[in-house]
């Protein structure tokens, strides 16, 4: 081994790789400690305050605007009650996929909470769907943040439409069951334009 590191070519390669190896080690430490999520969430929160992440419904339109949402599945509320998703038919549904470990998800939640407090709940239903976490952990998190929007848990299989590659992902489903909007990544939903968009969907 000593002879190997005395070789000029090997030492040169090692010097070139050392910054990348250092970066990889730091990345793995941050990821395993949960700090990476916190850093990501902090960055997203800071950007949201600038207005740069305000949602624009026109930009977030689903690529297939005539795609119908599959309501044939159930979720559970935080009390463990099974909720048939079919009961949300006929209303606009704001469906957000999230997890407590997801910094960007947590960063956008205050804007969702604020929006929830302003919209006409006779027209718009909020489904804040946690992505495969323990109910006690989710309940504790929601309670600590004092969020009041309805939170649900995955209950078995979900439609293929919800098998997204990353979270947060937010869908807006219109009263006719069409996926009108799909937004992946953090956004500020608490804008007058977006509130009006939700309430006027038909």
């Amino acid at each position: 081994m000593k002879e190997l590191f005395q070789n000029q070519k090997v030492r040169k390669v090692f010097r070139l790789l050392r910054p990348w190896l250092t970066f990889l080690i730091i990345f793995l430490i941050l990821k395993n400690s949960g700090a990476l999520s916190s850093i990501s969430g902090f960055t997203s929160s800071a950007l949201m305050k600038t207005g740069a992440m305000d949602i624009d419904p026109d930009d977030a339109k689903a690529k297939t605007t005539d795609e119908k949402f599959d309501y044939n599945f159930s979720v559970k509320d935080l009390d463990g009650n099974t909720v048939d998703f079919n009961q949300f038919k006929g209303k606009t549904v704001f469906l957000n996929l999230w997890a407590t470990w997801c910094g960007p998800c947590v960063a956008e939640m205050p804007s969702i909470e604020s929006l929830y407090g302003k919209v006409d709940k006779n027209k718009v239903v909020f489904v804040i769907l946690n992505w495969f976490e323990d109910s006690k952990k989710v309940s504790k998190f929601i309670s600590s943040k004092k969020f009041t929007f309805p939170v649900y848990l995955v209950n078995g299989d979900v439609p293929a439409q919800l098998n997204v590659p990353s979270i947060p992902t937010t869908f807006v489903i219109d009263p006719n069951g069409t996926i009108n909007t799909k937004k992946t990544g953090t956004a500020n939903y608490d804008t007058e334009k977006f509130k009006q968009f939700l309430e006027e969907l038909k």
Side-chain angles (χ1 to χ4, degrees):
M1 182 66 79
K2 185 177 179 181
E3 291 175 358
L4 180 65
F5 278 97
Q6 285 176 342
N7 184 300
Q8 288 280 43
K9 287 184 179 178
V10 171
R11 284 195 294 181
K12 186 176 180 181
V13 169
F14 181 75
R15 275 198 305 272
L16 289 171
L17 290 177
R18 187 165 49 194
W20 294 104
L21 290 171
T22 304
F23 173 79
L24 180 61
I25 290 167
I26 292 171
F27 174 81
L28 291 173
I29 290 170
L30 289 173
K31 187 174 187 298
N32 290 331
S33 68
L36 191 63
S37 178
S38 298
I39 292 168
S40 177
F42 176 79
T43 304
S44 297
S45 294
L47 282 171
M48 285 181 71
K49 290 176 183 175
T50 69
M53 302 186 86
D54 287 0
I55 184 75
D56 185 336
D58 294 328
D59 291 342
K61 291 274 186 192
K63 289 180 181 176
T64 311
T65 54
D66 60 349
E67 183 182 356
K68 293 295 184 180
F69 185 74
D70 181 1
Y71 291 87
N72 295 313
F73 69 106
S74 65
V75 293
K76 282 192 175 181
D77 64 23
L78 292 181
D79 293 321
N81 302 308
T82 299
V83 178
D84 185 343
F85 214 90
N86 280 289
Q87 77 177 42
F88 301 128
K89 282 183 176 178
K91 291 189 176 183
T92 294
V93 180
F94 178 94
L95 170 59
N96 176 266
L97 309 181
W98 72 286
T100 61
W101 49 260
C102 167
C105 299
V106 175
E108 72 179 5
M109 285 189 140
S111 79
I112 296 173
E113 171 69 15
S114 184
L115 175 68
Y116 175 71
K118 296 172 183 174
V119 297
D120 183 346
K121 295 173 187 62
N122 292 316
K123 297 178 180 177
V124 185
V125 172
F126 278 61
V127 178
I128 312 304
L129 184 59
N130 179 267
W131 216 230
F132 297 99
E133 289 188 283
D134 176 72
S135 61
K136 289 182 180 177
K137 182 177 183 179
V138 175
S139 295
K140 184 177 178 181
F141 173 83
I142 294 299
S143 177
S144 71
K145 299 293 184 181
K146 296 182 170 54
F147 292 141
T148 61
F149 46 58
V151 177
Y152 299 91
L153 306 168
V154 172
N155 183 34
D157 293 336
V158 295
Q161 294 155 325
L162 299 187
N163 287 322
V164 295
S166 64
I167 56 174
T169 295
T170 300
F171 296 84
V172 174
I173 305 150
D174 71 23
N176 297 310
T178 301
I179 299 174
N180 182 284
T181 301
K182 180 181 177 183
K183 167 66 178 170
T184 300
T186 309
N188 174 30
Y189 294 98
D190 185 24
T191 69
E192 186 56 36
K193 182 177 180 180
F194 191 70
K195 173 182 175 290
Q196 186 177 354
F197 158 72
L198 287 178
E199 293 178 339
E200 293 180 357
L201 271 181
K202 295 177 182 179

